Amino acid sequence: MPALDYLLTGAQIVDGTGAPARRADVGLRADRIAFVGLASDVRAITTLDCTGMVVTPGLIDPHSHSDWSVLGNPEAFSTIHQGVTTEVVGNCGVTHAPTAESDVDATAGALRAMGYDGPVDWRSFGDFVQHVHSGRTAQNLMWFVGHTAIRSAACQATDQLREQARLLEEAMDAGAIGFSSGLEYGSGRFASTEELVALARVAGRRDGMYASHIRNRDVDLDTAVAEFFDVVTRGGVRAQLSHLNVRHGTGAQPGAWARAAERVVTERRRGTDVLADMTPYPHGIGMATGLLPAWLAERPAVEAAALLADREIRDQARADSDRYWRFVHRGQWHRVRLGVSATHPEWEGLSFPEIAEKHGADEWECLFDILTAAGADMGSVQLIGELFTPSHLAEAIAHNHFLLGVDAFTTCRHGPLAGRTRNPLFYHGHTHYLAHHVPAGTLSLETAIHKMTGMVAEHFGMPDRGELRTGAFADVVVFDPAIIERTDTWSLPQRYADAARHVWVNGVPVVSDATHTGRRPGRMLTHRP
C-alpha cells in the first residue's frame, strides 16, 4: 500500500452508520479515506496519536443558511470549528439568486450586513454559485434555489409561472438539487398551492427535492402539513420538511405536532422519500417582516417601510399582526432579541424590552422604527426568539425520522458578523447536540452522529460522504470527548468551539489542533448521479 497522507491511530470511531463505536485507525490519502482498521505496518507521511479521541465523519447540516454569509466568511470559522464539513443551503425560500435588477440594491444591503461589500454582479443562480465557489469555501455546500427569489425574479414576466419554471430549470442545470419555499413570510406567503405543485413537478421530473418552511406551525399546523404533502405527492419530488416544530404558546391544537410527525412516518411507509429536521436550542432565527400583516407585507419593501412611518398604519399593523411568532401579539416580547439590523447595530443582541427601555418607546414602536429605517433592506432584519420547550426539543431530536440541523449561518469573530451573532446558536449549535442532548439521554452518541452525517448524506444524495469507510471522501473529524463534556454550549457566545481538534475536508486539513489553517478545500455538491 502506498504511504498514506495521514494516519489517525488509537481512537474510537463512530462511523456515521449508527453502528456501535469501535476501536479502529483511519488513514487518509488525497481526498479519500484509504484505510479503516487496525494499523500495524501501514506507512503514513503524518501519524496522529488520537488515543482517547473519537473520530467521526464530518458533520453535515441538513438545514443551513450559510449561503447568506459565505461571501463574508468563506473560511466558515464558526461551523468548521464544530466539525461541520458540509452544509445544505438555500433553505426557507431565501437565496440571493436569481436576482432581478430591481432587487440588486436590497441584495447588496443584505450581503453587507453579512460582511460582504463586493459587487452584486450576478443575476442568474448559476452565476451566483460560480461567484461563491470560484472564491473557494472551507466547507462543502449543497444548494437549493429559493422559491421567493425565483418568484421575485419572475414578477415582471407576462407568464410568471412559466418564467418561474424556467428559472428553476436553469438553477437545476447549474447544480441546484431542487427548490425550497418559505411560506410564512416574504412573497412566499402569497403563493398558491397550485403554484408550488407546478414547480415541484419541474423538480420531480429531474429527481429533485423540495424543502419547505411550511405555511403555519401553530394553530393551523395540520393544514400546513397537509399542503406540504399535497405538493410533494402531486409533484413527485423527494422532500425535506424543514424544522418541523411547534412554537410554544402560539395556539397549536393539542397533539398537532405528534400528528405531523406521524404523517412523516406514514408517508415514508407509502414510499415517499421524506424526512424532517429539528434544531438544538429552544431559540431560533426569524424574519422580522414575518410579523407584518399580509396587506402590508405584500407591498414592495421600500413602500411598506415608508407606510410604517405613518401613525395610523402602525396602529392598524399592530392590530393585524397576530401571526408568525404569535406570542409577540400576546405581549411576550421578552422572548425576542434583535438579531440583524444594519441600521441599528447597537441594539443587536438585546431583547425588545431592553431596546424599548433604551429607545423610550414600546416594543412594537421599536420594531416599526427598525423596519422603517431599513427601507429596501427590510427583509434582511432578523430576530432571535425563544421558541420551543425543552421537552418538545427532546421529542423531535430523538425521533427516528428527524435529521439534526441548526437553522443558522456560519459566522466569525471579526467584522460585521461578529456584532450580530452573539447567540451560542451560531458558535455551538452543532456541538450542543453532543454536549447536551447526548448526556441528557435524548439519544446515543452513535445515533446523534448518524443523524448528523450518514443519514443526511443518504437522504440528500451525497455519494461517498457521511461515513467512515474505505473509498469515502475524507471529510473527517477528531473530537476530544473530555472537551465536549466540559463545554458549556449554553453560554459561550463568540468563542469558537474547540472539541473538534482536527478537521479534514476532502482530505485537506482545515482545522489542526483546534486552529483554522486558512485553507478552503470545499466543493459544490450537486445532484446525485
Side-chain angles (χ1 to χ4, degrees), residues 27 52 66 97 105 198 227 255 268 318 323-324 357 393 424 427 482 501 515 525:
S66 286
D105 288 345
E227 180 189 40
R268 284 186 63 82
R318 183 189 295 228
R323 65 173 317 279
Y324 193 42
E357 183 176 356
L393 278 173
Y427 292 89
R501 307 306 294 176
T515 301
L525 307 185

Side-chain angles (χ1 to χ4, degrees), residues 11-12 49-56 81-83 431 434-435 445 449 477-487 497-503 511 513-514:
Q12 291 286 308
D49 181 359
C50 297
T51 302
M53 304 291 182
V54 174
V55 178
T56 76
H81 271 289
Q82 295 178 71
T431 309
L434 309 180
L445 175 63
I449 294 298
V477 184
V478 178
F479 284 108
D480 186 335
I483 294 177
I484 292 176
E485 184 177 354
R486 67 173 181 258
T487 298
D498 58 356
R501 307 306 294 176
H502 301 278
V503 181
V511 174
D513 292 321

Side-chain angles (χ1 to χ4, degrees), residues 108-160:
L111 287 169
R112 277 195 303 274
M114 294 290 173
Y116 172 74
D117 59 3
V120 177
D121 52 6
W122 60 84
R123 297 297 177 269
S124 71
F125 180 84
D127 286 346
F128 176 56
V129 294
Q130 171 64 24
H131 186 92
V132 170
H133 287 279
S134 64
R136 311 295 296 171
T137 62
Q139 79 281 51
N140 303 309
L141 297 174
M142 178 172 264
W143 293 80
F144 285 107
V145 61
H147 167 242
T148 302
I150 286 174
R151 212 166 188 268
S152 181
C155 70
Q156 299 301 319
T158 303
D159 187 334
Q160 293 185 21

Side-chain angles (χ1 to χ4, degrees), residues 65-87:
H65 291 287
S66 286
D67 51 307
W68 298 350
S69 63
V70 66
L71 290 175
N73 180 29
E75 294 85 4
F77 283 103
S78 68
T79 44
I80 206 77
H81 271 289
Q82 295 178 71
V84 179
T85 58
T86 300
E87 301 182 55

Side-chain angles (χ1 to χ4, degrees), residues 88-415:
V88 180
V89 296
N91 286 291
C92 298
V94 184
T95 52
H96 290 312
T99 308
E101 288 291 340
S102 58
D103 291 332
V104 169
D105 288 345
T107 299
L111 287 169
R112 277 195 303 274
M114 294 290 173
Y116 172 74
D117 59 3
V120 177
D121 52 6
W122 60 84
R123 297 297 177 269
S124 71
F125 180 84
D127 286 346
F128 176 56
V129 294
Q130 171 64 24
H131 186 92
V132 170
H133 287 279
S134 64
R136 311 295 296 171
T137 62
Q139 79 281 51
N140 303 309
L141 297 174
M142 178 172 264
W143 293 80
F144 285 107
V145 61
H147 167 242
T148 302
I150 286 174
R151 212 166 188 268
S152 181
C155 70
Q156 299 301 319
T158 303
D159 187 334
Q160 293 185 21
L161 187 54
R162 182 185 294 273
E163 178 64 3
Q164 286 187 55
R166 186 192 71 78
L167 291 169
L168 174 55
E169 289 182 324
E170 184 180 79
M172 292 189 73
D173 285 343
I177 62 169
F179 77 107
S180 71
S181 66
L183 304 179
E184 273 194 302
Y185 46 75
S187 70
R189 289 166 60 175
F190 309 107
S192 68
T193 302
E194 294 306 315
E195 176 181 320
L196 298 169
V197 169
L199 294 176
R201 286 173 174 157
V202 172
R205 287 195 293 268
R206 296 165 173 252
D207 191 31
M209 291 190 78
Y210 171 57
S212 183
H213 174 134
I214 57 178
R215 209 174 290 273
N216 184 281
R217 286 183 285 156
D218 46 65
V219 68
D220 291 321
L221 178 64
D222 293 293
T223 303
V225 170
E227 180 189 40
F228 171 78
F229 281 110
D230 185 28
V231 172
V232 170
T233 301
R234 291 166 64 194
V237 285
R238 297 180 293 117
Q240 184 68 18
L241 211 173
S242 300
H243 38 56
L244 176 55
N245 44 46
V246 174
R247 303 180 189 110
H248 174 59
T250 55
Q253 297 299 311
W257 182 86
R259 289 192 297 275
E262 185 58 32
R263 181 72 186 271
V264 174
V265 176
T266 300
E267 292 293 337
R268 284 186 63 82
R269 287 175 181 157
R270 291 174 178 165
T272 303
D273 189 354
V274 61
L275 290 173
D277 53 72
M278 190 53 185
T279 52
Y281 285 107
H283 43 261
I285 298 173
M287 312 298 284
T289 53
L291 297 175
L292 300 179
W295 58 264
L296 185 58
E298 67 186 353
R299 298 174 182 271
V302 172
E303 182 180 339
L307 285 170
L308 273 174
D310 181 86
R311 167 50 51 200
E312 290 186 6
I313 293 293
R314 288 191 175 202
D315 290 344
Q316 190 62 52
R318 183 189 295 228
D320 294 345
S321 291
D322 188 8
R323 65 173 317 279
Y324 193 42
W325 290 5
R326 301 182 71 205
F327 55 85
V328 169
H329 197 75
R330 301 176 182 187
Q332 298 175 24
W333 281 102
H334 63 280
R335 294 172 59 181
V336 186
R337 294 180 180 274
L338 181 61
V340 174
S341 170
T343 60
H344 293 78
E346 72 280 8
W347 291 350
E348 291 173 343
L350 299 180
S351 71
F352 267 78
E354 290 172 329
I355 293 171
E357 183 176 356
K358 287 179 176 292
H359 195 43
D362 76 5
E363 291 86 354
W364 280 109
E365 290 300 305
C366 293
L367 175 68
F368 293 151
D369 284 347
I370 291 167
L371 293 175
T372 298
D377 296 339
M378 216 167 76
S380 68
V381 178
Q382 295 178 20
L383 310 175
I384 296 176
E386 296 175 10
L387 306 178
F388 318 115
T389 64
S391 61
H392 177 45
L393 278 173
E395 187 176 18
I397 288 167
H399 196 285
N400 288 339
H401 297 324
F402 278 61
L403 305 173
L404 305 183
V406 170
D407 191 16
F409 49 86
T410 189
T411 188
C412 54
R413 293 171 53 195
H414 59 273

Side-chain angles (χ1 to χ4, degrees), residues 30-53:
D31 66 350
R32 299 277 178 162
I33 297 172
F35 177 83
V36 179
L38 296 177
S40 55
D41 58 353
V42 178
R43 296 181 299 112
I45 297 170
T46 301
T47 298
L48 294 176
D49 181 359
C50 297
T51 302
M53 304 291 182

